Amino acid sequence: MKFSKWTKKNYEADACCVAPKLLGQYLVHATDKAIYAARIVETEAYGGTYRRQVDDGAHSFRGITKRTAPMFEAGGITYVYLIYGMYHCMNIVTAPQGNAQAVLIRAVEPVQGIAAMIENRNAQSAAVNLTNGPGKLCRAMDITLKQNRIDLCGNELFIAHPLVPDTFSVVCTERINIEYAGMGKHFPWRFYMKDNPYVSK
DNA sequence: TACTGGATCCCT
DNA sequence: GGGATCCAGTAT
């Protein structure tokens, strides 16, 4: 498939601007086992501010730590972390260095390397539950802590946009599963493709 | 050195 | 609705 890779410039903006732009773009992970490609259908922005309120739902809210350090880097790298001891979540770091912002990839639609995705997930088919959640898509596309802090301008893991853009409607809602947050709970920073079956529950 | 809980998923 | 599973973050 023909595509053009995102460059450093694409990652300089605030996460809440990049998050909707990632919809319809392709997440590509080239490994020895397979080349995985998937169409991004759901994202969430984290970090930064909304109407002068700091995002208290972001990992970076309490300052830089060993785990969250990648979020504070300049945009254009990954931030992958372990969640609930068994799953991984993948983020795209955005904004200039020192401005901790990232976009969580919440759901994708498989495009290439589907047989390997099915194997990785121990699934029977490419039904929607193969990649309709952040933990599921990481397992399907073999994204683990090894892929943390990877340069997205390289050839292993990157974002590509199709040369023939597709059209869809974008829905914007509050983010999911951040009950611990205060004001941030209500930021309208979740974006997904209307009516796409791969959007998470 | 000990304790707590999570940007999830799957089964009941 | 609850268990799996483990490490970072925080408290002692």
Side-chain angles (χ1 to χ4, degrees):
Chain A
M1 134 170 272
K2 292 229 167 223
F3 61 81
S4 159
K5 193 189 296 183
W6 273 33
T7 61
K8 199 82 181 165
K9 196 169 171 51
N10 291 283
Y11 300 105
E12 289 172 355
D14 285 338
C16 55
C17 295
V18 178
K21 288 192 179 123
L22 279 166
L23 297 179
Q25 307 296 296
Y26 289 78
L27 175 64
V28 183
H29 185 201
T31 72
D32 289 339
K33 178 173 178 176
I35 293 177
Y36 303 96
R39 184 167 172 249
I40 298 170
V41 302
E42 180 180 357
T43 59
E44 279 179 356
Y46 283 91
T49 59
Y50 176 74
R51 293 183 178 169
R52 293 170 170 266
Q53 302 275 359
V54 177
D55 181 14
D56 55 11
H59 287 173
S60 54
F61 179 66
R62 290 169 208 290
I64 189 166
T65 65
K66 187 181 171 189
R67 179 179 63 146
T68 63
M71 272 190 83
F72 290 78
E73 299 273 316
I77 63 170
T78 58
Y79 165 45
V80 181
Y81 63 90
L82 180 68
I83 185 73
Y84 297 105
M86 32 190 351
Y87 297 102
H88 296 278
C89 287
M90 184 200 161
N91 294 256
I92 308 275
V93 176
T94 78
Q97 182 170 30
N99 189 342
Q101 301 193 31
V103 178
L104 171 69
I105 309 297
R106 281 199 60 87
V108 300
E109 184 180 311
V111 170
Q112 195 183 130
I114 298 178
M117 291 188 198
I118 291 172
E119 192 181 317
N120 294 343
R121 287 269 294 135
N122 219 250
Q124 306 301 321
S125 69
V128 293
N129 62 4
L130 189 66
T131 54
N132 66 344
K136 297 179 196 178
L137 75 91
C138 281
R139 182 153 300 176
M141 298 182 73
D142 198 17
I143 294 167
T144 68
L145 288 177
K146 289 197 190 78
Q147 277 67 239
N148 186 29
R149 211 174 187 146
I150 280 188
D151 182 1
L152 289 164
C153 294
N155 291 318
E156 179 186 348
L157 192 55
F158 56 89
I159 300 295
H161 71 260
L163 293 189
V164 181
D166 56 348
T167 56
F168 48 85
S169 300
V170 176
V171 181
C172 175
T173 72
E174 294 182 357
R175 294 169 296 178
I176 292 180
N177 292 340
I178 52 165
E179 290 310 307
Y180 53 83
M183 292 301 294
K185 217 170 5 190
H186 305 297
F187 290 8
W189 281 1
R190 172 175 177 242
F191 305 90
Y192 64 87
M193 279 188 195
K194 189 175 190 303
D195 298 326
N196 187 287
Y198 285 88
V199 171
S200 70
K201 300 287 182 298

